[in-house]
Amino acid sequence: MGEHYFAERPETASRTRTIDLVLPDLHLRLETDRGVFSPDRVDLGTRILLETAPAPPPTGNLLDVGCGYGPIALTMATRSPQASVWGVDVNARALDLARRNANAAALDKVRFGLADEIDPALRYDAIWSNPPIRIGKPALHELLLTWLPRLTPHGHAHLVVQKHLGSDSLQRWLNDQGFPTERIASRSAYRVLHVSARVSDRPQEGPAQ
Ligand SMILES: C[S@@+](CC[C@H](N)C(=O)[O-])C[C@H]1O[C@@H](n2cnc3c(N)ncnc32)[C@H](O)[C@@H]1O
């Protein structure tokens, strides 16, 4: 059986290649490799997210959860050049590629790292993700419960999920966890979910004076 794309240190021999991400507003050349997610072309779900999500906030902190070789984070960094963009992953080979891809595109306000290399006090105005559904429900829920509470009070997340991999049940679960979640797009077999910050994570407002 092939190695999972979420191995921390892929053992598959490296064979890099370059692919193109062409969207109406940008063109990025991206180096990919074996042992990372979707090395032969930008994943269709990722493309649908990038074609569907509204422009990210122009400033603040933006996050890509499960960044792989960086197509989502680098698109956010291109669309919001004043913002600080962060990409987190577990796969060291993917993180190396993402850093190289940022350098090649001269995007210097984007940083990639493991979860414990990113300041837990940071709060994000937008989180975009093609999340790793295949790690299984408990791990996926833990991952989302690590990062979604770090949205700013008016922050939003956009998640792309395949219908047959459980987009509807994920939407229900997010709502049950207190994150108001709606489906904003449905294309091919994919759904794009729009997730708002959890009301209970918002700072308490003082009594009206
Ligand atoms: C579906 S892929 C998307 C990759 C990339 N964003 C793209 O669009 O091509 C999900 C990514 O999540 C990563 N991942 C798996 N478990 C993770 C975790 N606990 N924390 C962060 N990233 C994780 C995988 O290594 C993989 O790169």
Side-chain angles (χ1 to χ4, degrees):
M1 199 175 107
E3 191 171 43
H4 288 305
Y5 62 74
F6 45 88
E8 289 176 14
R9 300 219 159 255
E11 290 175 1
T12 318
S14 168
R15 193 166 67 211
T16 59
R17 57 172 298 187
T18 303
I19 63 168
D20 292 286
L21 169 59
V22 182
L23 295 168
D25 59 324
L26 61 85
H27 179 182
L28 290 167
R29 301 221 82 193
L30 300 171
E31 191 182 338
T32 74
D33 201 345
R34 295 163 72 196
V36 306
F37 177 74
S38 200
D40 297 330
R41 69 192 67 80
V42 171
D43 174 65
L44 178 59
T46 297
R47 172 174 288 284
I48 289 172
L49 174 68
L50 299 178
E51 289 176 353
T52 314
T59 57
N61 291 309
L62 316 179
L63 173 70
D64 172 5
V65 176
C67 59
Y69 51 82
I72 296 175
L74 297 176
T75 296
M76 289 199 284
T78 304
R79 289 180 178 166
S80 295
Q82 307 301 320
S84 297
V85 180
W86 306 84
V88 62
D89 208 290
V90 289
N91 180 324
R93 187 178 291 181
L95 288 169
D96 280 347
L97 290 163
R99 290 187 193 105
R100 288 211 290 278
N101 289 330
N103 280 341
L107 293 166
D108 57 5
K109 283 182 68 81
V110 51
R111 271 152 287 182
F112 294 99
L114 300 168
D116 61 10
E117 294 169 335
I118 298 181
D119 182 353
L122 279 176
R123 291 295 172 266
Y124 302 96
D125 301 283
I127 297 176
W128 287 8
S129 181
N130 180 349
I133 303 294
R134 293 189 190 277
I135 61 178
K137 227 180 233 187
L140 175 69
H141 289 174
E142 189 185 328
L143 179 68
L144 293 172
L145 289 178
T146 298
W147 297 103
L148 292 177
R150 300 185 193 180
L151 282 167
T152 57
H154 299 290
H156 298 285
H158 286 87
L159 312 178
V160 65
V161 183
Q162 281 194 58
K163 182 167 169 51
H164 87 274
L165 292 182
S167 59
D168 292 348
S169 71
L170 184 64
Q171 181 177 352
R172 275 194 299 278
W173 178 81
L174 286 164
N175 274 309
D176 289 347
Q177 296 301 309
F179 299 99
T181 301
E182 49 188 305
R183 183 204 292 179
I184 60 155
S186 176
R187 251 175 65 188
S188 303
Y190 293 87
R191 307 287 180 258
V192 178
L193 303 180
H194 173 276
V195 186
S196 299
R198 187 156 60 182
V199 176
S200 59
D201 290 330
R202 296 180 191 166
Q204 298 289 311
E205 286 176 18
Q209 298 291 318

